[in-house]
Amino acid sequence: MDDVMQRLVASPACVPQLPLDAALDAYARLGFRNFEAFTQWAGSHLDVTSDPAAYVAAARERNMRYTSMHLPPVKGAELDVTLAAAVQASRFAEAIGAGVVLFKADSREAYIKAGRRYLDLIDEAGIGVTPVLQNHKGTPITSLGDFRQVIDGINDARMKHLLEVGHFHRAGVLWRDGYELLAGRIALVHINEIRGDQSVSFGTGEVDFAGLFDRLASDGYAGHIVVELELDTRDTDHEHTLREIGQGIDHLKAQGLEKLA
């Protein structure tokens, strides 16, 4: 198997209409061996109240595994209940083998109020996952200033970070500037080809992947890289999206991705 595929992760966001079995089949055909699990909205989302063994078996049948998982968001108006749900989902993530979880909240205030409590709770429960914060345009963490406020407010080195290249670019932030803010605590990377604020086919956008891969390799980044492609046709023509992802992997290799193999 191509060594670089050990580092790449498939994202349900690319083909959100597909149920889990169909999504795993489609990504396995493209050579993916890793999958980022969702707990909401996507057709492949996992039910964290169900038996994790069934999900593990479904991935194993395709020679795949779950490497990261999005947690349900903590909500400021229902802090205790939603915080408990995030902890429960983290235990589920550990059970399916997802070592990184994306910690989310519905406001920067909720991130700050709940962040350290969440870290203490998973530590006390012995849940072995690495939580990360994620920027995403249109959410409470959109800009560098938003990210800095949340990082400083939580003020706990146990909380790591996701370098979300695509959504930094959508917000007018170069990945290099995001990298400088998060350097030393990056536990996951998401990549998406962007032109302006739109997701476009790899090789037709503005993201400096060659520079990104050089920086990650020189800094010894050892984590996974989630491949995202959110074309306008993703809801109506998933086969087109999948073909573009396959071609996109070739483009990423040409930009130096294999330095991270």
Side-chain angles (χ1 to χ4, degrees), residues 131-190:
V132 297
L133 300 173
Q134 177 191 21
N135 60 291
H136 199 286
K137 186 180 178 183
T139 72
I141 304 179
T142 292
S143 68
L144 285 179
D146 296 338
F147 222 145
R148 189 176 293 109
Q149 179 185 349
V150 172
I151 291 170
D152 291 346
I154 295 175
N155 192 27
D156 194 312
R158 292 175 295 176
M159 184 66 79
K160 306 303 182 186
H161 307 310
L162 189 164
L163 178 64
E164 173 58 85
V165 174
H167 278 281
F168 268 138
H169 198 91
R170 288 181 196 269
V173 177
L174 298 177
W175 70 259
R176 292 181 185 277
D177 295 329
Y179 195 105
E180 292 308 318
L181 175 65
L182 309 179
R185 292 169 65 176
I186 297 172
L188 187 63
V189 175
H190 280 192

Side-chain angles (χ1 to χ4, degrees), residues 47-196:
D47 177 1
V48 299
T49 67
S50 65
D51 180 6
Y55 290 124
V56 172
R60 188 177 293 134
E61 287 173 5
R62 284 90 173 175
N63 194 27
M64 294 186 74
R65 59 178 180 145
Y66 308 99
T67 50
S68 48
M69 191 181 90
H70 292 248
L71 299 180
V74 173
K75 299 179 180 179
E78 307 170 86
L79 195 67
D80 290 342
V81 171
T82 54
L83 184 56
V87 172
Q88 176 194 359
S90 299
R91 190 183 299 279
F92 181 90
E94 181 184 35
I96 64 170
V100 174
V101 294
L102 284 65
F103 180 73
K104 300 184 177 185
D106 66 352
S107 69
R108 288 186 292 280
E109 292 75 15
Y111 270 113
I112 293 167
K113 191 171 183 179
R116 193 174 295 180
R117 285 180 59 190
Y118 166 79
L119 293 166
D120 288 342
L121 287 168
I122 63 171
D123 276 358
E124 290 166 7
I127 300 173
V129 295
T130 298
V132 297
L133 300 173
Q134 177 191 21
N135 60 291
H136 199 286
K137 186 180 178 183
T139 72
I141 304 179
T142 292
S143 68
L144 285 179
D146 296 338
F147 222 145
R148 189 176 293 109
Q149 179 185 349
V150 172
I151 291 170
D152 291 346
I154 295 175
N155 192 27
D156 194 312
R158 292 175 295 176
M159 184 66 79
K160 306 303 182 186
H161 307 310
L162 189 164
L163 178 64
E164 173 58 85
V165 174
H167 278 281
F168 268 138
H169 198 91
R170 288 181 196 269
V173 177
L174 298 177
W175 70 259
R176 292 181 185 277
D177 295 329
Y179 195 105
E180 292 308 318
L181 175 65
L182 309 179
R185 292 169 65 176
I186 297 172
L188 187 63
V189 175
H190 280 192
I191 57 174
N192 195 335
E193 179 70 281
I194 305 294
R195 185 171 61 245

Side-chain angles (χ1 to χ4, degrees), residues 1-8 249 253 257-258 260-261:
M1 179 176 57
D2 192 340
D3 287 343
V4 77
M5 297 307 294
Q6 299 280 13
R7 302 292 298 278
L8 295 185
I249 292 172
K253 289 178 181 178
L257 177 62
E258 291 178 301
L260 296 166

